[in-house]
Amino acid sequence: MATIELQKLVKRYGKVDAVKGIDLSIAHGEFVVFVGPSGCGKSTTLRMIAGLEEISGGTLKIGDEIVNERDPKQRNIAMVFQNYAIYPHMTVRQNISFGLYTSKLDKAEKDRRIEEAGKILGLEALLDRRPAALSGGQRQRVAIGRAMVRNPSAFLFDEPLSNLDAQLRAQMRIEIKRLHQRLGTTTVYVTHDQIEAMTMADRIVVMKDGEILQVGTPSELYDTPADVFTARFIGSPSMNLVRGSKMSEGIRTSIDGELLVGIRPHDLIASTGASTEQSALQLSGLVTAVEPLGPETLVHLDVDGQDVIATAQNKFAPVVGDHAICHAPVGSLYLFDVASEKLLGRW
Ligand SMILES: Nc1ncnc2c1ncn2[C@@H]1O[C@H](COP(=O)(O)OP(=O)(O)OP(=O)(O)O)[C@@H](O)[C@H]1O
Ligand SMILES: [Mg+2]
């Protein structure tokens, strides 16, 4: 059973605490995604799990065993990096077999695993090619193949798709997810990309400044972010925030309100005319930019000097210079305390 357990895990570089005593239990077969801003300690955490980075404090367990002092090799974990380090002078087959370089398996078993990985990853026809003759996505699959043949008890991915273009990233995202569904191997995946986090994760771990802020399923984090940081991090475009107060008739915006009111751009509907619909909040402002996305249009407004993003149906989309009114339906608002930035509730 490849459960992974972090108990008060610490990493210090000199005086810098890169990871500040984090606790996390990862279940067997789970797909856990770490997100957070640059420098928050995601890679460091992953590298401690892999055994590439010495642990400064706390305990790391894989299965029932404490592995703090174990070599990477003894941990039976495979890591796939952003710059996937495949060798240009080797064929695809040789690159994949490099994952078994130190293995004591006999040749027939090695060949069988390479063929199988090639088949699962759609590389069968390319096994004798060199990387120069592969697309970016195919190269990334070779790197995954190299990790796969080792039959690891866990996969670690550190921003594996960030060098790929948007379309390929979307495709590889699905492929990695399918691979996980097929193999059922415990996976820890680090990304900057909140869409990857939302679409791939069983659970998302939000990190900031070496600490874990929140852990939950994608929908838990989307519906009930613990604070403004997670609320702004999960969901695209980011949640709007305006100051407001709770009045008997609903939420009112006011510069010195006791609340930070969060409204997701998809819940804030812009129009140029008045709406008769019941709404929890109304905002109005000057349209400063419009971004047609195809099915709908994003509308940027200046609301009392603040940039707010709303959504409009294409046929009702305002144009730059219009004065637009936006409505957020009842139940769509997130209310945060101004001082602590913690979620108080939904409205
Ligand atoms: N070898 C090192 N020596 C000193 N400090 C380091 C070292 N490696 C990382 N750090 C510091 O530890 C902190 C966490 O770094 P880490 O690489 O884990 O961040 P990250 O979350 O992966 O960021 P990114 O999203 O940019 O990859 C940073 O402040 C970084 O500067
Ligand atoms: Mg990193």
Side-chain angles (χ1 to χ4, degrees):
M1 291 283 280
T3 55
I4 301 175
E5 199 160 332
L6 284 51
Q7 296 170 342
K8 305 259 171 295
L9 207 64
V10 175
K11 178 65 194 183
R12 269 180 227 109
Y13 294 109
K15 288 202 182 93
V16 178
D17 282 3
V19 176
K20 300 175 182 168
I22 59 174
D23 291 297
L24 182 70
S25 289
I26 300 172
H28 176 69
E30 202 175 11
F31 197 117
V32 168
V33 176
F34 277 72
V35 294
S38 186
C40 71
K42 305 180 297 293
S43 295
T44 304
T45 302
L46 210 60
R47 293 170 58 82
M48 283 195 283
I49 297 172
L52 301 173
E53 203 74 71
E54 206 175 303
I55 294 171
S56 313
T59 306
L60 175 68
K61 278 168 102 177
I62 297 176
D64 292 328
E65 197 186 356
I66 295 176
V67 297
N68 287 44
E69 307 299 329
R70 288 248 182 276
D71 283 347
K73 257 192 298 197
Q74 298 169 307
R75 297 188 192 190
N76 192 27
I77 277 178
M79 189 144 167
V80 179
F81 299 92
Q82 172 182 347
N83 48 351
Y84 22 81
I86 56 176
Y87 299 106
H89 60 285
M90 293 184 185
T91 63
V92 168
R93 183 189 303 274
Q94 288 165 335
N95 264 292
I96 294 178
S97 72
F98 196 77
L100 297 171
Y101 185 61
T102 55
S103 151
K104 294 191 180 64
L105 295 172
D106 62 43
K107 176 150 188 331
E109 174 60 15
K110 285 184 180 177
D111 286 344
R112 194 194 65 75
R113 288 199 189 179
I114 294 163
E115 296 288 333
E116 192 190 349
K119 202 185 294 170
I120 291 174
L121 295 168
L123 294 169
E124 304 130 289
L126 308 174
L127 286 175
D128 296 315
R129 279 204 204 167
R130 285 182 210 284
L134 299 178
S135 72
Q138 289 165 340
R139 283 179 212 166
Q140 187 54 285
R141 272 184 252 154
V142 174
I144 295 170
R146 183 194 289 166
M148 249 173 80
V149 286
R150 292 172 46 194
N151 214 353
S153 46
F155 283 117
L156 308 181
F157 290 93
D158 196 353
E159 310 214 27
L161 309 184
S162 55
N163 283 343
L164 307 179
D165 67 42
Q167 201 181 347
L168 202 49
R169 228 168 33 223
Q171 187 190 327
M172 286 302 297
R173 193 163 82 207
I174 307 288
E175 286 185 19
I176 292 176
K177 187 77 195 149
R178 277 208 197 107
L179 187 67
H180 176 255
Q181 271 153 6
R182 175 163 181 173
L183 303 177
T185 309
T186 308
T187 300
V188 187
Y189 188 104
V190 166
T191 182
H192 266 100
D193 181 339
Q194 64 90 29
I195 296 180
E196 276 175 33
M198 289 296 282
T199 54
M200 298 173 88
D202 292 321
R203 280 191 305 159
I204 297 175
V205 177
V206 182
M207 278 190 87
K208 188 188 173 201
D209 298 336
E211 290 176 301
I212 292 177
L213 288 190
Q214 192 172 1
V215 182
T217 63
S219 62
E220 280 166 359
L221 295 200
Y222 191 85
D223 293 335
T224 330
D227 57 22
V228 168
F229 181 84
T230 301
R232 298 260 313 157
F233 207 86
I234 302 291
S236 176
S238 277
M239 182 186 283
N240 297 296
L241 288 169
V242 295
R243 286 286 283 268
S245 300
K246 210 186 255 182
M247 315 290 274
S248 56
E249 74 276 16
I251 304 294
R252 272 286 180 79
T253 56
S254 64
I255 318 166
D256 56 356
E258 76 284 6
L259 298 173
L260 272 176
V261 182
I263 319 123
R264 296 199 183 275
H266 280 104
D267 293 326
L268 190 61
I269 310 305
S271 61
T272 44
S275 165
T276 49
E277 262 179 65
Q278 177 85 7
S279 64
L281 183 78
Q282 184 178 315
L283 294 175
S284 65
L286 191 68
V287 177
T288 57
V290 289
E291 297 181 90
L293 297 182
E296 65 203 8
T297 298
L298 289 182
V299 180
H300 294 249
L301 304 140
D302 180 333
V303 177
D304 301 327
Q306 206 178 328
D307 187 37
V308 166
I309 305 179
T311 308
Q313 281 185 284
N314 292 336
K315 56 184 170 183
F316 299 126
V319 296
V320 172
D322 277 352
H323 187 86
I325 299 172
C326 312
H327 293 270
V330 172
S332 69
L333 302 184
Y334 298 72
L335 306 184
F336 301 95
D337 180 65
V338 166
S340 68
E341 301 201 338
K342 299 270 178 241
L343 184 72
L344 299 170
R346 302 289 307 266
W347 183 273

